[in-house]
């Protein structure tokens, strides 16, 4: 065997970037498995040109022919003996998300593949991967510990343990990572302020994980090697004792945690990325909206191609630091007058919230859900208040703490998920909803005067009986008209219902008569259909259910078509029968999950709505659902 | 106008007892409204015989004729002028429950009314009223205060504030009333021990009210005049300062509370009462079973005519004072071995529980539900344990309390109703269910050897997916056969599924393939269909819903046929399609409520099951449902 012999593996394109050139390795004087086995280090494919120029030319020609023939990038094994090329195998080559996009778009534009083939070549998962920053593993950073990959993407920052530290450091220009044993709703400020979250307890569906995924923030959960000592203010990981202000990096895609700052690779959203999604939109029947609660998210969603907001949660606005005391005063009011004073203080804030969101989504529908969570979620914990009472130094602070404690006791619930929330609040305390409607109407008028075209839609949460919607519709319409008449304006606002408890699905024909639209809240619908509290189920028994094959998927991640889907089908069918013009969508995490989106397409929904970061994923999934349906029809 | 003039009102029978004789009042020298207006005191009707003997004879004759003609007791207004009788009006007379029963039975036996008319003459509500002891208001006891009439019936006893005092005094032969600001599941021992319950807080659906109604114990709730001072050990009602050991009486039918011991009237369950129910049973298609968790209740249910137990809850057995520490040790076990030690200690106790119940219901089916509530319900509260840790005087007590605190923290749930309970426990911790099955099998064999004919049925709670039942069925069958083979016995046990979450109704055809029976748990099904936590809804927003006419009834009291009933119909129809031999029943409070029973009859269920005290009510309601159906068919 001369020097012009050996074996090689090559791709017809660069599998990382998709660049069209021969890419691979060649090992001189080697046979069959030597290249792939890794026992010897091969040379770049270009070395073949010097060693066996004819064989190289032949390989170039053949590779091009094979790619042309199969209509896709090829992964070719070959051998050269005495300068003669022999092909051993060819197959479709594996590639990075970026390369998949690039290759597919190039082939589409050069008419080698059709639109439906283009849409099948890039997966929603690849789109998702393209959206996150990632650790530059080329720098070979050393791994400190590994937790659960709870929310993808990479982040670096100085570590903080509390909201206060997060806010203080962020104000001073630092990027922070919130590092805690676990998080709770009280930590929302800190989560918003930080680049990523790292916890020592809790699984893929702990509070930190769920919130981080919703916000598109990287998160590593359940990193059990972390040991906190809050009296000393340290967290120990192996031999490293860290304190607030030290720097860590984390990779939410793999669960890895690194000491110090590690270089990150920014997501590279090429023109091809946007072109593909534009092509997808042209194909789709389902529209894609986003769940966004503030102008920033609304603008982000719009950049990602959302055609409206499917769910604007007003509770996050209530949680903001400067408002929470007013919200608490409103809740603790023991007289209607005191409540109204607090509501009047909230009104201009809500007006400006809605102004910002409607402006960011100008021209597109914005579905605003009136206040949903139980009021006790806005109050401090019982334990905290008890301490405040005990440590009060003045009568005034003690009285204030005692009053709050009374409110907490009065509002305490055994099962808050099934408690005094949603439209039940609207029915027992209509003044809160009335204030929100007034704020939406005022913001709409403000924008109209400025020449914008705001499209608010008002959504009533947790309806289980049509008479709940009848009462709430009357409240909304009356307040809306009152505000418009005061300003000599005219117009109506669409009013719809969340469909998120089984009973609403069972009596959808009655509810539809009083609704302009339905929006499926499949998170709550899954909770109530199964009788699973998500918070409890995901931590306590769902892992065991999946391990023992009771359930194939976590039903909060992938829609349970067999059960929950049946309720949705019932609601959709009966709702549309009662009112053919009924607009129907889905909000909630399933709205960004590809197989769930396929089900929504099949059902005939008008739109899906998901977090801004999942909008591109959903746009592709919506288009793929349509082509899959067409292919199925062709097969028939 | 002579002395032989006046007006009167009479009944053809005594409206309190049903005794067949003229009964009423006559007011001499009076006109029209004078008798009923109450401005003058009339004389007994018998006085007419002296005043106007001819008119009296005529009245007797006419009254008898009218009753004969209308086939029911009459309420007659008349006037006598110059000895001449004039009838002013006759109508069907109002009567006490006892009289209703007595009159109807007499007329039935004398062939004046048919069986279906008999069954329509006594209402289930009247049957219920006949079952309770009542205050002897003839003694004119003076009312101390009035609360809510939370559970009917009357009771006297010395007041106690705690489980301990209740048990101590009961052991010493006292009858006690549990008097507390409110009750919680921790108070179950005290509730069981007491004659009745009195609380200062909470409504018709507070813990005390619901538990008391379930047990058929009188209860007055929300008696706000009660003011507790636990440091002094007193409860003040108006000017009366009472302490443990003082005596009160209460009337759960009216909400009245009396100082000291008041005479009570025992329920008088005549032969007619039992005869009527026997006639009802012959008419009914639905069988009536009882919910009973111990031999005493099972025997009571049998005396009340239950044909089996539809729901035997095993959790109440776990709560008994001497067992709770073993149950807690089992729950807090951090290793499987420790858990098994505790389970082996519970096994003989459970064996004797099941022995007693199966014996009391010998020959009838006894549906035993495997453990259902979340395990944390058996542990002390977090606050209590924190105090124990703080006040521990030895390292051993501190370590024990800390261990319990860890278990409480580990098991804490946000929404226990939708949490780690039911078959979810059986799937994650199969050893608990295996122990229970072993105990049932051993008890069954014990009884068979003694010549009894026990009929256990094993029920799996909270099934939402057929694969849960598949796993649990395998566990039960394997353990059952293992126990039988060890004792060289043979036989199978029916295994069924609670149907209590919407998803189970939606996939009933799959579940039915692995079930011998279904039992609707309509309490949980109502909670999940509406998304209402009963504990929270009834206290917080249901009153407002009913006041504003959003809902006509409390859906936990009267089955929501439109929504929950639709799920039941789906489950029943699909379940029977998949398995025609499937036995289907309902357990839970709706099983004792007449309009809900009518729906169960219409659906075609095999049985309803309710608390022992409601069995007679359900027996009559079941028969009335059948006659109502027949009448409807005749009308067509």
């Amino acid at each position: 065997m001369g020097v012009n012999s050996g074996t090689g593996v090559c791709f017809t394109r660069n599998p990382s970037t998709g660049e069209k050139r021969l890419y691979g390795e060649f090992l001189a004087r080697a046979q069959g498995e030597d290249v792939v086995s890794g026992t010897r280090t091969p040379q770049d494919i270009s070395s073949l040109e010097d060693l066996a120029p004819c064989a190289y030319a032949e390989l170039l020609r053949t590779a091009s022919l094979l790619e042309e023939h199969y209509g896709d990038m090829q992964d070719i094994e070959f051998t050269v003996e005495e300068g003669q090329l022999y092909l051993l195998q060819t197959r479709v080559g594996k590639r990075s998300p970026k390369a998949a996009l690039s290759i597919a778009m190039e082939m589409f534009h050069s008419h080698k593949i059709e639109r439906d083939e283009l849409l099948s070549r890039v997966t929603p998962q690849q789109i998702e991967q393209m959206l996150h920053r990632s650790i530059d593993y080329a720098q070979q950073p050393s791994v400190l510990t590994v937790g659960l990959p709870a929310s993808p993407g990479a982040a670096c920052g100085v570590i903080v343990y509390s909201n206060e530290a997060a806010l203080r450091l962020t104000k001073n220009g630092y990027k922070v990572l919130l590092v805690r044993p676990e998080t709770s709703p009280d930590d929302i400020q800190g989560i918003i302020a930080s680049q990523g979250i790292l916890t020592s307890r809790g699984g893929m569906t702990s509070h930190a994980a769920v919130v981080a995924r919703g916000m598109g923030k990287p998160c590593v959960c359940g990193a059990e090697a972390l040991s906190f000592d809050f009296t000393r203010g340290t967290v120990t990981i192996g031999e490293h004792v860290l304190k607030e202000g030290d720097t860590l990096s984390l990779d939410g895609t793999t669960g890895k945690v690194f000491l110090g700052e590690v270089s990150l690779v920014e997501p590279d959203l090429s023109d091809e990325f946007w072109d593909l999604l534009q092509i997808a939109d042209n194909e789709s029947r389902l529209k894609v909206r986003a769940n966004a609660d503030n102008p920033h998210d609304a603008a982000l969603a719009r950049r990602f191609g959302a055609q409206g907001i499917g769910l604007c949660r007003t509770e996050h606005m209530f949680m903001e630091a400067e408002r929470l005391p007013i919200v608490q005063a409103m809740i603790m009011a023991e007289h209607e007058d005191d409540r109204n004073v607090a509501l009047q203080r909230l009104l201009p804030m809500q007006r400006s919230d809605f102004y910002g969101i409607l402006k960011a989504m100008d021209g597109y529908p914005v579905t605003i859900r009136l206040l949903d969570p139980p009021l006790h979620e806005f109050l401090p914990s019982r334990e905290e208040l008890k301490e405040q009472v005990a440590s009060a130094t003045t009568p005034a602070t003690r009285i204030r703490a005692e009053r709050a404690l009374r409110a907490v006791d009065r509002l305490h619930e055994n099962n808050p998920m099934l408690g005094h929330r949603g439209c039940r609040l609207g029915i027992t305390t209509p003044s809160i909803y009335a204030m929100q409607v007034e704020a939406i109407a005022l913001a709409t008028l403000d924008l109209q005067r400025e020449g914008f075209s705001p499209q608010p839609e008002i959504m009533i949460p947790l309806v289980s009986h049509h008479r709940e919607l009848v009462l709430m519709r009357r409240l909304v319409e009356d307040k809306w008209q009152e505000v418009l008449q005061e300003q000599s304006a005219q117009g109506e606002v669409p009013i719809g219902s969340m469909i998120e408890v089984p009973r609403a699905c069972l009596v959808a024909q009655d509810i539809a008569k009083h609704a302009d639209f339905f929006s499926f809240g499949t998170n709550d619908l899954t909770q109530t259909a199964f009788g699973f509290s998500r918070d409890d189920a995901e931590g306590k028994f769902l892992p065991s259910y999946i391990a023992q094959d009771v359930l194939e998927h976590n039903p909060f991640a992938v829609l349970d078509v067999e059960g929950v889907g049946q309720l949705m089908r019932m609601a959709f069918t009966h709702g549309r029968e009662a009112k053919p013009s009924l607009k129907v969508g889905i909000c909630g995490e399933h709205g960004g999950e590809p197989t769930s989106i396929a089900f929504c397409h099949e059902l005939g929904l008008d739109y899906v709505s998901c977090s801004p970061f999942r909008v591109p994923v959903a746009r592709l999934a919506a288009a793929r659902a349509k082509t899959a349906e067409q292919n199925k029809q062709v097969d028939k």
Side-chain angles (χ1 to χ4, degrees), chain A residues 156-228:
Chain A
C156 304
V158 300
I159 66 174
V160 293
Y161 306 141
S162 66
N163 286 345
E164 295 68 38
L167 295 170
R168 202 169 53 238
L169 282 162
T170 311
K171 267 188 196 154
N172 286 295
Y174 288 93
K175 296 194 163 173
V176 303
L177 293 184
L178 185 66
V179 180
R180 292 188 52 80
E182 65 201 341
T183 67
S184 79
D186 295 339
D187 300 315
I188 195 80
Q189 295 300 327
I191 294 172
I192 291 170
S194 58
Q195 301 294 308
I197 301 130
L198 171 60
T199 71
S200 60
R201 281 207 292 262
M204 298 291 288
T205 55
S206 58
H207 178 265
V210 172
V211 172
R213 280 200 298 275
M215 295 185 179
K217 278 188 203 281
C219 174
V220 173
C221 278
E224 296 184 344
L226 273 67
S227 165
F228 289 88

Side-chain angles (χ1 to χ4, degrees), chain A residues 1-7 26-31 34 40 43 51 80:
Chain A
M1 201 184 276
V3 75
N4 54 356
S5 293
T7 67
F26 181 71
L27 189 55
R29 299 194 196 84
Q31 291 183 342
D34 287 352
R40 285 169 56 198
Q43 296 161 278
L51 297 173
V80 176

Side-chain angles (χ1 to χ4, degrees), chain A residues 548-564:
Chain A
Q548 296 189 56
D549 201 28
V550 175
L551 295 175
E552 202 174 337
H553 302 288
N554 175 347
F556 296 106
V558 179
L559 190 77
D560 163 47
V561 170
E562 196 187 19
V564 177

Side-chain angles (χ1 to χ4, degrees), chain A residues 318 320-332 342 345:
Chain A
F318 278 40
E320 285 183 18
E322 67 273 27
R323 303 182 185 183
L324 200 51
I326 309 172
V327 171
Q328 292 176 342
M330 182 270 286
I331 294 167
M332 291 188 280
R345 289 185 62 198

